Amino acid sequence: MDIATTPTTPDGNPELADAAPTPHEPPVIRREDYKPFPWAVPTISLDFRLGLERTRVTATLAVERNPAAEPSAELRLDGDSLKAESVTVDGAPAEYRMDGPDLVLDLPGDRHTVEVVTTIDPSANTQLMGLYASNGMLCTQCESEGFRRITFFPDRPDVLSTYAVRMEADKALFPILLCNGNRTAEGEGENGTHWAEWHDPWPKPSYLFALVAGDLVANSKPFTTRSGRVIECNVWVRPEDLARTDHALESLHRSMQWDEEVFGREYDLDLYNIVAVSDFNMGAMENKGLNVFNTKYVLADPDTATDADFDAVEGVIAHEYFHNWSGNRVTCRDWFQLSLKEGFTVLRDQLFSQDMRGEAVKRIEDVRILRAAQFPEDAGPLAHPIRPDSYREISNFYTATVYNKGAEVIRMMRSMVGAERFRAGTDLYFDRHDGEAATCEDFVKAIEEGAKIDLTRFRRWYAQAGTPRVAVSQAVEGDTLRLTLKQTVPPTPGQPDKLPMPIPLRIAVHSRGGALGEEQLVVLEQEQQTFDIPLAGPNPVISINRGFTAPVVIERDLSREDLVFLAAHDDDPFARSEALQELAVSHLVGTASGTLSPEVRAAGQAAIVGAFRASLSDNALEDAMRGELMVLPSETYLFESMATGDRKADPGAIHAAREGLKAAIGTELAGELTALHARASGTGLDDPAGRGARKVKTIALGFIAAADPSRAAELAAAQYDAADNMTDRQGALMVLCGLDTRAREERLAAFYERYKDNALVVDKWFTLQALSLHPDVIAQVRKLAEHPDFTLRNPNRVRSLHMAFAGNPKGFHAESGEGYRMVADVILALDPINPQTAARFVPALGRWRRIEPVRAALMKAELERILAAGNLSRDTFEQVSRSLEG
């Protein structure tokens, strides 16, 4: 599942829609308490009589005692807001009891057939978990615990079953009936109904069940596997969206071919269906043979989607397809093993995107996301290992740690053994655990045996939270550089003391005389180690963590001149970008904290401007890479860099320092930036030069705006008016949104009028305003929340406005605390409707301990207000309570 988003709230029978509130102290689930389920369910048959307001579900389970579990006569079937209309065992009415939401049977024999009939109301399901209605369609979302909202079942990932499904519905309302697996039969019923039967031959857990019924059309194109099998590939959408599906379908084909070539994985069903849904909590879901996607990650054309949107569609399509093996064929034993499927699959989609779009730029982008989302998580009250030890609500662990850091941990294994040996390890993993519910330990052991490497100490990465810090010191002895590395892993909630972890680092020692050193891989196994590196020449400069081989913070005391040298000459693109980032971070944190003298501050600014000038004038650079070198460190990353030791971050000072540097660059490099902006950009999706030019064009405009708002307003208005693609149009409007000018209001109105019938582009309209640097951004967001097109019931729309604002450092951290109050109000209003989405807002407030005292008190007060409101969902209660306790 891709987490570009979130899920949750009661559905089921109308009389149960207002189910009893969650207890104030939800129970803690612990990994150490895992026990296999006492009953296996080798097959399940589901019969759906579908309707928007009334769906009847008949579930027939073949159950048998699980020889791997402790014997028990009790069969506990999970439920959530369900009421059984009938229950039979072996064809006879059965006695059962309800234990909270669960249905419990006592079974005397070793094998039985259990049938349960329930009726649910999909239209009442505002939680968007289980079976729900969306714009006249019916669709499902079952990960992680949504299947129990459809029928009573042991809804856990280690219960694997083969599914046979029959669906019957009004043909006029639901002409297309889709499910997992292969369609085995279809026909006409009575009174205008029709039916379809589906069978999935591959055992799967209930969270991978999927069903879609609606008025849909498909963009179809077959794919021929390497063994010669022809797969029917379909992208299903509403008729009006069909023209925007070509890129998604082509991305699917590229993913299928890449996975065969790189990981040796061939698709295993006769058809592969993707369905786009507008009401969807997550980014997408990998249900076996029937992927359900947020429309955001399917629909794209140059008029409505940016270059970044096209990349996101390709990446998410790939992610869900790759799950067919890393998640479906081999699934996870319990939810503590979530990173087994998600971390591995994120790595796979990153490697795929590198091959499709270029390794250097993709790697820099991935690290930027990690630092913006995961590093703060690792440094805050919600820090957890990639394999957590406990939870109250599993949806809270669909996090950047589990996904992005999980991918980095597996990437480190790949870096240590190389691509070929890593492939041997993953082949062993797939072969050994095909058709099983596995653990993170199973994966590590397969890499260990297949790649022939001892990973005993490396397992600590799965058990310890926190971002390691590596201090670098060096001394020259003859023709050798003695490099001393010392690691510390900071304390995190529940883990005050840490053991050293193996940290692979690609390094090279260059000479400022011009010679570039050979790259080598060192592994820091102990708390402190020294490595001898041959010198390439005089005046050595160390290039370390090249390609970001480890998710760590490097602490080194490089001179300004050395960083400028690396920014201009390092032969590793990531290291070159990193040198510029270090140069800017040092300057901006020093400026924000007031520790730099005027002379040092001026020299630092001059060095940064000079490094930027060198990048802008380097004709050997492609514009895509040039654009990466033009990106200043984010305010979030500066916050993390400033909040170290006893020092607290000051968001206001960080924002002022960063905007001041932008203005200085815009002033000093006005000519170069204007020339970049004037470049023709073109619209070709697969034209690297055009994509790169569009990228630097908007970045240049942002610097010009910081230095000369009036000139930028003219350029942005002209860019908007001339734009023939969404990348240029959105880039111009983004800059205009931060300016107090008539052109802003005119172009915002024109943008809305042009795209008011396109929900995804209207989302952009909300987001651009919520993220803007406009002085009245808080008032504007409040006004937008009253707009007729805004609703709290659509997750995309909530994220487009309120989540965007929570990520706006200037507005969210307003000195008055109004930004904090507004986000807290959203959490309280949203929690009864969609708890998972509501809970996603909490971490922004949870960073209060690392911020200066005045804002910290205001943030803490809002968390306390939320907690005092009572009757919170498990999702929000866990996040808020941990944020206050951690």
Side-chain angles (χ1 to χ4, degrees):
M1 180 163 63
D2 186 271
I3 54 162
T5 56
T6 45
T8 261
T9 285
D11 75 8
N13 298 304
E15 69 270 25
L16 296 177
D18 295 321
T22 302
H24 188 61
E25 290 280 354
V28 176
I29 312 299
R30 302 186 188 281
R31 181 168 59 89
E32 64 186 11
D33 295 335
Y34 169 82
K35 293 181 180 179
F37 193 65
W39 293 88
V41 187
T43 64
I44 176 175
S45 297
L46 295 168
D47 187 300
F48 288 89
R49 306 298 172 91
L50 295 168
L52 288 172
E53 296 179 349
R54 187 178 188 275
T55 289
R56 182 180 173 89
V57 185
T58 301
T60 305
L61 289 61
V63 302
E64 57 187 45
R65 292 188 184 275
N66 181 1
E70 295 179 7
S72 174
E74 180 181 284
L75 174 66
R76 177 176 293 269
L77 303 179
D78 298 309
D80 185 350
S81 303
L82 294 177
K83 181 179 179 181
E85 295 187 0
S86 71
V87 180
T88 65
V89 175
D90 300 328
E95 292 185 3
Y96 65 92
R97 64 185 183 276
M98 297 301 296
D99 183 5
D102 302 339
L103 187 152
V104 183
L105 292 159
D106 292 318
L107 302 179
D110 292 337
R111 290 179 175 82
H112 297 279
T113 299
V114 178
E115 181 184 279
V116 183
V117 178
T118 56
T119 299
I120 56 179
D121 179 2
S123 68
N125 182 356
T126 63
Q127 197 180 43
L128 311 185
M129 286 289 285
L131 178 66
Y132 65 93
S134 173
N135 291 328
M137 294 170 52
L138 289 173
C139 53
T140 57
Q141 170 58 28
C142 292
E143 188 176 354
S144 56
E145 296 177 341
F147 192 73
R148 66 187 64 188
R149 302 173 65 81
I150 297 172
T151 189
F152 291 100
F153 192 79
D155 190 15
R156 43 189 285 168
D158 61 343
V159 176
L160 307 183
S161 309
T162 300
Y163 283 66
V165 180
R166 188 181 193 277
M167 308 158 62
E168 184 173 327
D170 185 315
K171 189 173 183 178
L173 293 176
F174 307 108
I176 300 299
L177 303 175
L178 303 173
C179 198
N180 304 96
N182 298 316
R183 185 174 48 243
T184 56
E186 58 186 333
E188 303 295 319
E190 299 178 351
N191 303 316
T193 64
H194 71 141
W195 56 270
E197 294 179 350
W198 294 77
H199 179 254
D200 186 353
W202 301 103
K204 64 174 179 284
S206 53
Y207 82 84
L208 289 173
F209 171 77
L211 170 161
V212 174
D215 185 7
L216 301 167
V217 295
N219 189 350
S220 304
K221 182 180 179 182
F223 176 82
T224 302
T225 70
R226 60 181 180 177
S227 67
R229 294 174 53 246
V230 177
I231 311 300
E232 178 187 338
C233 298
N234 304 304
V235 178
W236 295 91
V237 294
R238 293 177 299 179
E240 60 268 29
D241 293 330
L242 185 63
R244 293 188 286 154
T245 58
D246 286 346
H247 179 62
L249 187 58
E250 293 302 323
S251 297
L252 174 60
H253 278 229
R254 287 192 289 270
S255 304
M256 298 173 86
Q257 181 176 345
W258 184 90
D259 210 19
E260 290 184 350
E261 295 172 352
V262 177
F263 279 91
R265 301 296 110 190
E266 183 175 321
Y267 188 60
D268 52 6
L269 291 169
D270 298 333
L271 73 160
Y272 192 96
N273 286 318
I274 291 173
V275 181
V277 178
S278 56
D279 295 295
F280 199 66
N281 277 319
M282 309 301 285
M285 180 62 209
E286 70 267 18
N287 316 296
K288 184 73 176 178
L290 178 57
N291 289 183
V292 179
F293 270 66
N294 191 318
T295 50
K296 178 180 176 68
Y297 298 105
V298 172
L299 306 179
D301 65 18
D303 184 57
T304 60
T306 63
D307 293 334
D309 292 331
F310 274 93
D311 290 347
V313 168
E314 182 178 64
V316 177
I317 291 279
H319 181 95
E320 304 310 327
Y321 174 75
F322 297 152
H323 264 314
N324 185 61
W325 277 92
S326 51
N328 297 1
R329 287 286 288 267
V330 184
T331 191
C332 48
R333 184 195 72 180
D334 53 66
W335 291 119
F336 297 103
Q337 319 297 329
L338 183 58
S339 195
L340 171 73
K341 73 182 186 78
E342 296 300 348
F344 186 24
T345 304
V346 169
L347 173 64
R348 277 153 52 75
D349 81 54
Q350 289 177 348
L351 295 174
F352 165 78
S353 295
Q354 287 178 189
D355 287 348
M356 296 301 107
R357 298 292 176 193
E359 179 177 358
V361 170
K362 174 61 176 169
R363 189 63 184 137
I364 294 169
E365 292 172 348
D366 288 340
V367 173
R368 184 179 297 122
I369 292 170
L370 184 81
R371 286 171 167 168
Q374 197 281 320
F375 277 23
E377 196 167 82
D378 244 352
L382 302 177
H384 55 276
I386 64 171
R387 184 189 57 204
D389 292 319
S390 66
Y391 63 81
R392 283 194 168 106
E393 171 52 58
I394 184 55
S395 63
N396 286 333
F397 281 97
Y398 286 77
T399 61
T401 295
V402 166
Y403 279 65
N404 302 75
K405 185 177 180 179
E408 294 298 326
V409 168
I410 298 173
R411 185 187 287 264
M412 283 191 287
M413 295 188 223
R414 186 174 184 267
S415 296
M416 289 191 294
V417 302
E420 185 175 339
R421 289 166 59 197
F422 182 74
R423 166 68 187 275
T426 60
D427 283 351
L428 179 60
Y429 168 70
F430 289 128
D431 292 344
R432 178 180 288 173
H433 298 291
D434 190 10
E436 294 181 1
T439 65
C440 294
E441 172 59 25
D442 292 329
F443 181 84
V444 175
K445 189 173 182 180
I447 300 299
E448 196 169 43
E449 294 180 16
K452 296 179 173 53
I453 183 175
D454 183 357
L455 295 173
T456 301
R457 291 184 176 180
F458 190 85
R459 286 169 169 83
R460 294 172 185 171
W461 280 99
Y462 282 87
Q464 296 186 162
T467 303
R469 308 182 78 87
V470 177
V472 180
S473 59
Q474 63 189 60
V476 175
E477 295 185 4
D479 58 358
T480 299
L481 184 136
R482 302 216 77 194
L483 181 68
T484 300
L485 304 177
K486 181 178 181 179
Q487 65 166 293
T488 57
V489 187
T492 52
Q495 294 186 338
D497 301 310
K498 307 293 178 66
L499 294 170
M501 302 188 289
I503 298 175
L505 298 166
R506 284 167 46 203
I507 63 172
V509 179
H510 304 316
S511 165
R512 272 208 293 167
L516 300 181
E518 292 290 326
E519 182 178 275
Q520 60 180 283
L521 181 75
V522 302
V523 180
L524 175 61
E525 297 261 9
Q526 308 295 332
E527 180 180 350
Q528 180 171 312
Q529 285 177 255
T530 298
F531 303 89
D532 290 339
I533 314 294
L535 292 179
N539 302 315
V541 182
I542 183 75
S543 172
I544 191 167
N545 206 17
R546 293 157 63 86
F548 200 73
T549 39
V552 301
V553 174
I554 299 294
E555 297 177 334
R556 57 179 177 175
D557 187 21
L558 276 191
S559 69
R560 192 181 299 123
E561 292 74 21
D562 284 345
L563 289 172
V564 169
F565 170 81
L566 291 173
H569 302 294
D570 204 318
D571 57 343
D572 179 77
F574 176 82
R576 184 173 182 180
S577 168
E578 187 71 353
L580 255 176
Q581 294 290 298
E582 281 189 60
L583 194 63
V585 167
S586 175
H587 172 77
L588 290 171
V589 170
T591 301
S593 59
T595 59
L596 302 182
S597 68
E599 295 77 17
V600 171
R601 190 164 61 247
Q605 179 174 292
I608 294 168
V609 170
F612 263 70
R613 178 177 281 113
S615 296
L616 297 186
S617 62
D618 187 346
N619 294 326
L621 278 177
E622 295 181 352
D623 274 341
M625 183 62 194
R626 193 187 321 276
E628 293 302 325
L629 296 175
M630 294 171 66
V631 176
L632 288 175
S634 70
E635 290 182 40
T636 299
Y637 187 51
L638 293 169
F639 182 109
E640 295 304 312
S641 300
M642 189 175 185
T644 55
D646 295 328
R647 186 172 61 186
K648 305 297 183 181
D650 184 337
I654 289 171
H655 179 76
R658 190 174 186 274
E659 288 303 301
L661 180 58
K662 281 172 60 180
I665 293 170
T667 300
E668 294 292 328
L669 303 179
E672 293 94 328
L673 292 167
T674 301
L676 272 182
H677 181 264
R679 286 184 179 175
S681 58
T683 60
L685 170 64
D686 292 317
D687 172 19
R691 288 168 60 93
R694 288 191 291 275
K695 182 176 183 177
V696 299
K697 184 176 190 177
T698 293
I699 296 173
L701 187 59
F703 283 110
I704 294 169
D708 188 346
S710 297
R711 175 59 176 154
E714 295 174 6
L715 292 173
Q719 177 176 319
Y720 181 94
D721 294 342
D724 59 0
N725 63 86
M726 180 55 76
T727 303
D728 282 347
R729 188 173 293 116
Q730 178 177 305
L733 193 57
M734 176 189 70
V735 172
L736 283 172
C737 277
L739 303 176
D740 194 5
T741 171
R742 181 178 176 182
R744 174 188 190 274
E745 307 307 323
E746 291 173 345
R747 274 35 176 218
L748 278 171
F751 189 88
Y752 177 79
E753 187 60 29
R754 175 171 181 154
Y755 295 111
K756 61 185 177 183
D757 295 325
N758 186 312
L760 292 178
V761 184
V762 172
D763 286 341
K764 293 177 180 292
W765 183 77
F766 279 104
T767 296
L768 288 168
Q769 295 175 79
L771 281 174
S772 83
L773 298 177
H774 196 280
D776 296 327
V777 64
I778 294 177
Q780 290 167 358
V781 170
R782 290 195 182 279
K783 184 177 179 181
L784 287 167
E786 302 298 322
H787 192 279
D789 284 345
F790 184 77
T791 174
L792 285 175
R793 293 184 177 270
N794 179 269
N796 279 357
R797 193 54 45 87
V798 172
R799 286 186 289 267
S800 73
L801 180 63
H802 291 306
M803 192 65 79
F805 174 78
N808 181 337
K810 181 176 185 291
F812 178 67
H813 289 295
E815 256 184 307
S816 65
E818 191 176 356
Y820 307 146
R821 285 194 299 275
M822 187 158 65
V823 168
D825 288 343
V826 170
I827 293 170
L828 289 169
L830 188 58
D831 192 53
I833 301 169
N834 194 323
Q836 287 188 11
T837 302
R840 296 280 179 187
F841 285 87
V842 176
L845 292 168
R847 300 165 73 196
W848 63 273
R849 280 187 177 81
R850 309 188 70 222
I851 206 167
E852 53 84 14
V854 174
R855 287 182 174 88
L858 294 170
M859 296 170 82
K860 183 183 180 185
E862 294 304 326
L863 288 168
E864 292 171 337
R865 178 165 71 93
I866 296 168
L867 193 63
N871 201 26
L872 296 174
S873 67
R874 288 186 306 176
D875 312 65
T876 299
F877 175 84
E878 181 176 35
Q879 295 279 67
V880 173
S881 60
R882 288 182 62 200
S883 294
L884 287 168
E885 297 166 0

